[in-house]
Amino acid sequence: MPMTNTVESSSSGSFNRQQQQQQQQQQDDGNGKYVRYTSEQVEALERVYAECPKPSSMRRQQLIRECPILSNIEPKQIKVWFQNRRCREKQRKEACRLQTVNRKLSAMNKLLIEENDRLQKQVTHLVCENGFMRQQLHNPAATTDASCDSVVTTPQPPLKDESNPAGLFSIAEDTLAEFISKATGTAVDWVQMPGMKPGPDSMGIVAISHGCSGVAARACGLVSLEPIKIADILKDRLSWFHECRSLEVFTVFPAGNGGSVELIYTQMYAPTTLAPARDFWTLRYTTVLDDGSLVVCERSLSGSGAGPHASATAQFVRAEILPSGYLVRPCEGGSIIHIVDHLDLEAYSVPEVVRPLYQSSKYIAQKMTISALRYIRQIAQETTGEVVYNFGRQPAVLRTFSQRLHRGFNDAVNGFSDDGWSLINCGGSEDVTIAVNTMKNPLLGGVLCVKASMLLQNVPPALLVRFLREHRSEWADFNIDAYSAASVKSGTHAFPGLRPTRFSGNQIIMPLGHTVEHEEMLEVIRLEGHALTEEDAVISRDIHLLQICSGIDENAVGACSELVFAPIDEMFPEDVPLLPSGFRIIPLEAKSDALISQQTLDLTSSLEVTPAPNHAAEETSSVTYNTRSVLTIAFQFPFEHHLQDTIASMGLQYVRNVICSVQRVATAIAPSEGPHIGLKLSPGSPEAVTLAQWICQSYSHHFRTELLRPHNEGGDSVLKLLWHHPDAILCCSMKSLPVFTFANQAGLDMLETTLVALQDITLDKIFDESGRKSMYTDFAKIMQQGCACVPGGTCMSTMGRHVSYEQVVAWKVMGEENEVHCIAFAFINWSFM
């Protein structure tokens, strides 16, 4: 229908609701006549649009009846108005999106220009060094001739007096100059962090040091927050750095430009039980530069025994922070931030087997530098409302739960005496350590922690953690989980008095939220339990765990993989007490650049594959996966005083059983040959190939075309092609309430879930009322004709995000003996709204 709209706009051309309500529109009704809307009519239509942007025919007719001012307008004209209104809204959102992308691109362009200038300076510096070395090689006498002009003697700066403010201010200015030279200059030879490439959708530019003393990492990126807010967030290291145990500011001296000089004592957790924790005595300088940039820089002060609480530092090794910090510059749309972390972790003080961890710039980049940048980006997105969480939880509450889980697990791993932990005799066992803490619950008893660390060879940490998360029954004892959960519900830790319960082995993963790049997920796990006696049948025996999973991206070089959980009450109060237990796996050596096979033990995990295959990596298939990692396990058990020995014996045996199970799983998933590219099935998963073939054959039968080409591919190739197909393909069961049983990678991305959690999602959960009616109406057509095409619409992911699609193709999947195995759906050209 041809249509013309006349809109009176302001001189700036801005679009807002007030102007839209005042505007008048002209629309062609198809007979050459135009309808002019009054401001009252536009206001009435806008009210309806706010409630329902796409009203049905019956709703439009009802609107005409209920609003007398619209009685002179035909229903088809109302329909056209809503079409135009939706089009303008879509254009407005697209314009806002493009403006945001343009700002990001402009900021990234500025960053890249600065990075290019820095690299050019570095090249010039290296050329000069190369020329000097050539001169030395051609004229060796020049190196020993003290009178030669080529011999440059760098004067050593005099030691600064740390006992008075003047000396501290002098140290602060030197720290500022050294930090700026690292952040924007050539003081450190920076190389790009493996796997981190700059771009409009990337987090930023990340680099690690090459050939300098200590370990160092650098990151820069765009954040849509004001500089002062960014500085306040990053200075509160406890809020975002999980390995920070405490940070105390002991002295503050005011400085120029509204800045300050602070003396700070910081304690850091040890990541494993194999090495002691670290502490730092540092000076932190905050100031504003002449160009308006905000700087927060920090460095260690001299003296290994300097700082407060000499008795409390006995469990720590004094490490050193070399000039590091944050440079925040205001720009259009937010701020450009440079982060530098440069540390000397005293690697000589740890066992040789874990020494590579303390000499790894990649590990520091992942745990400190990248974590800081990710955290402020997360806060920025929460501030703008871009992040939506399930169950109505506020972002700050979910972050608090995450911090408590991390902190509780780190406390258990480290077992500091000033927290009340003390070691007990575990019967001569050296592989497992038992610690007791009676300060956590002095009235009823206390808490036992059984912990151990072990080395893993050739096991991808991300894959192992993902398996432990999705296959809890392979290693956990549900009766032990029930014991811990009972202490949370009833406030008692009585182990022998538990009621008999049978656990089905089923676990339901309910997502609560995730970070910006999905590197960390917070979720609630429900373990289904059933009473064995009729009188207890009315009482729920389900177990609920609050769980955090991180580091499951295999391409994140140097990243730590963790699975930490704690029993909670099913009501999930915000002040719930937590006793975290779990696993931490840290790689000790760099990974191969080749992609890693994701071998697993059953159908569901065998279908979890990497993104599209990298053909360049296929050429390097001869490279073997040869790496070591350290696995740390810590489990906490509450107890009553008279049951301490019983619980200690039970906990020791349980952790040893868990270690055996993890070793068995690690052996099964460790690649025995060179890395395989893309999807490889385990021997016990022929169902994966069979299902893929059924889906493709049924599609070809009903639609007389091929879902995947070429059609003569083998079983493994068919499954790989189905998995990487761009349309979201999902299968649901033939039950009265259809439940999803399979999805390819695009389907999992669309629903924002995993293959394990997928099997707890019913078809009706992703559609609204009208969508459910439309889909169920077409079910009869699918069963009769074998297939159907459903017009475009919207659905919803498990995280509450709306998804639009152009069309849904549905068909019966025929299995053995020509029986209907399931119903398949292909959501074509889907995207998040």
Side-chain angles (χ1 to χ4, degrees), residues 1 3 27-33 35 37 57 60-61 64 73-84:
M1 177 183 295
M3 188 166 28
Q27 296 183 351
D28 188 354
D29 65 356
N31 299 320
K33 298 180 181 180
V35 177
Y37 292 91
S57 177
R60 293 194 297 270
Q61 293 176 0
I64 294 176
I73 302 178
E74 295 294 331
K76 63 179 181 180
Q77 296 167 348
I78 299 292
K79 179 180 179 180
V80 170
W81 187 93
F82 277 97
Q83 288 175 345
N84 290 341

Side-chain angles (χ1 to χ4, degrees), residues 562-735:
E562 290 182 319
L563 183 69
V564 179
F565 49 86
I568 57 171
D569 187 83
E570 58 188 10
M571 300 306 295
F572 194 15
E574 295 181 2
D575 59 346
V576 58
L578 298 178
L579 285 180
S581 303
F583 309 87
R584 173 182 291 151
I585 311 175
I586 307 174
L588 295 179
E589 296 177 0
K591 294 180 180 179
S592 167
D593 291 337
L595 297 180
I596 300 165
S597 168
Q598 298 196 22
Q599 302 173 355
T600 48
L601 302 182
D602 61 8
L603 169 65
T604 57
S605 52
S606 69
L607 291 173
E608 295 231 353
V609 298
T610 57
N614 186 345
H615 297 290
E618 293 180 2
E619 300 176 0
T620 63
S621 60
S622 61
V623 181
T624 58
Y625 184 88
N626 183 20
T627 186
R628 295 181 302 166
S629 55
V630 57
L631 166 65
T632 299
I633 301 175
F635 281 78
Q636 298 191 72
F637 306 94
F639 68 90
E640 294 182 354
H641 284 297
H642 64 285
L643 293 174
Q644 176 175 332
D645 294 339
T646 302
I647 301 304
S649 177
M650 178 270 296
L652 179 61
Q653 185 59 45
Y654 177 61
V655 169
R656 284 178 173 167
N657 291 339
V658 170
I659 291 175
C660 292
S661 299
V662 172
Q663 288 176 330
R664 184 181 68 252
V665 171
T667 301
I669 66 177
S672 57
E673 301 175 355
H676 302 282
I677 306 304
L679 176 67
K680 284 290 180 181
L681 295 173
S682 64
S685 302
E687 297 89 349
V689 175
T690 303
L691 178 59
Q693 292 173 337
W694 285 351
I695 293 174
C696 299
Q697 291 170 0
S698 299
Y699 185 90
S700 303
H701 171 74
H702 294 305
F703 293 95
R704 302 296 189 270
T705 185
E706 296 293 334
L707 177 65
L708 303 172
R709 294 182 183 276
H711 64 278
N712 58 349
E713 292 283 353
D716 285 12
S717 298
V718 170
L719 182 56
K720 183 189 300 184
L721 291 170
L722 178 68
W723 181 261
H724 292 298
H725 199 276
D727 294 330
I729 300 175
L730 302 99
C731 297
C732 67
S733 60
M734 297 294 298
K735 299 180 180 179

Side-chain angles (χ1 to χ4, degrees), residues 433-446:
T433 302
I434 302 179
V436 62
N437 190 331
T438 57
M439 293 175 58
K440 287 196 172 184
N441 198 344
L443 296 179
L444 292 176

Side-chain angles (χ1 to χ4, degrees), residues 273 423-424 426 429-435 449-452 652:
T273 61
L423 296 178
I424 63 175
C426 53
S429 174
E430 296 181 356
D431 57 336
V432 179
T433 302
I434 302 179
C449 177
V450 185
K451 51 191 175 181
L652 179 61

Side-chain angles (χ1 to χ4, degrees), residues 268-280:
M268 285 175 54
Y269 290 107
T272 75
T273 61
L274 301 176
R278 266 51 181 163
D279 67 348
F280 304 89

Side-chain angles (χ1 to χ4, degrees), residues 157-158 160 169-179 285 299 323:
K160 308 294 183 179
F169 284 128
S170 180
I171 295 174
E173 291 297 333
D174 292 345
T175 303
L176 173 63
E178 292 186 50
F179 162 68
Y285 181 33
R299 78 178 305 163

Side-chain angles (χ1 to χ4, degrees), residues 296-609:
V296 180
C297 54
E298 185 175 6
R299 78 178 305 163
S300 288
L301 298 176
S302 62
S304 59
H309 307 318
S311 59
T313 63
Q315 292 182 272
F316 295 86
V317 171
R318 179 60 52 87
E320 182 180 4
I321 294 181
L322 303 172
S324 308
Y326 320 109
L327 169 63
V328 190
R329 294 182 296 177
C331 69
E332 183 181 0
S335 304
I336 295 177
I337 179 173
H338 295 256
I339 303 175
V340 173
D341 291 304
H342 193 176
L343 298 89
D344 183 353
L345 295 175
E346 304 295 337
Y348 69 88
S349 64
V350 302
E352 185 176 355
V353 67
V354 293
R355 195 166 296 169
L357 176 63
Y358 290 79
Q359 298 171 333
S360 172
S361 294
K362 298 173 185 176
Y363 181 75
I364 291 298
Q366 291 285 356
K367 297 303 291 184
M368 293 187 67
T369 316
I370 297 178
S371 294
L373 191 54
R374 281 174 173 161
Y375 185 80
I376 55 178
R377 292 183 71 232
Q378 181 84 18
I379 297 296
Q381 291 201 5
E382 292 172 358
T383 303
T384 57
E386 298 179 40
V387 181
V388 180
Y389 294 100
N390 290 348
F391 305 104
R393 296 283 180 175
Q394 293 298 319
V397 175
L398 297 182
R399 284 199 303 272
T400 300
F401 280 128
S402 173
Q403 292 164 5
R404 290 176 60 192
L405 284 174
H406 282 292
R407 187 173 184 84
F409 184 71
N410 280 322
D411 283 336
V413 170
N414 286 262
F416 293 113
S417 58
D418 54 345
D419 286 337
W421 291 100
S422 60
L423 296 178
I424 63 175
N425 186 4
C426 53
S429 174
E430 296 181 356
D431 57 336
V432 179
T433 302
I434 302 179
V436 62
N437 190 331
T438 57
M439 293 175 58
K440 287 196 172 184
N441 198 344
L443 296 179
L444 292 176
V447 176
L448 277 166
C449 177
V450 185
K451 51 191 175 181
S453 292
M454 55 186 285
L455 287 177
L456 300 177
Q457 187 75 25
N458 296 343
V459 179
L463 181 56
L464 179 56
V465 164
R466 188 163 66 243
F467 184 93
L468 296 175
R469 170 179 176 262
E470 298 182 356
H471 302 274
R472 189 179 184 87
S473 60
E474 294 288 337
W475 56 268
D477 186 335
F478 289 111
N479 290 307
I480 301 298
D481 291 328
Y483 161 67
S484 299
S487 66
V488 175
K489 291 183 178 180
S490 61
T492 178
H493 313 304
F495 179 67
L498 289 178
R499 294 181 179 272
T501 304
R502 176 178 59 85
F503 293 95
S504 63
N506 295 332
Q507 67 172 10
I508 300 175
I509 301 177
M510 298 175 286
L512 286 178
H514 56 75
T515 50
V516 175
E517 299 180 356
H518 295 256
E519 75 279 355
E520 185 174 283
M521 299 175 292
L522 183 67
E523 51 203 12
V524 171
I525 310 299
R526 188 175 80 217
L527 308 176
E528 295 181 344
H530 307 283
L532 296 181
T533 58
E534 294 184 0
E535 58 270 20
D536 293 334
V538 296
I539 303 176
S540 173
R541 296 297 175 189
D542 293 347
I543 300 171
H544 293 81
L545 304 172
L546 181 65
Q547 179 171 279
I548 195 163
C549 181
S550 61
I552 58 175
D553 180 8
E554 292 189 20
N555 296 320
V557 178
C560 168
S561 302
E562 290 182 319
L563 183 69
V564 179
F565 49 86
I568 57 171
D569 187 83
E570 58 188 10
M571 300 306 295
F572 194 15
E574 295 181 2
D575 59 346
V576 58
L578 298 178
L579 285 180
S581 303
F583 309 87
R584 173 182 291 151
I585 311 175
I586 307 174
L588 295 179
E589 296 177 0
K591 294 180 180 179
S592 167
D593 291 337
L595 297 180
I596 300 165
S597 168
Q598 298 196 22
Q599 302 173 355
T600 48
L601 302 182
D602 61 8
L603 169 65
T604 57
S605 52
S606 69
L607 291 173
E608 295 231 353
V609 298

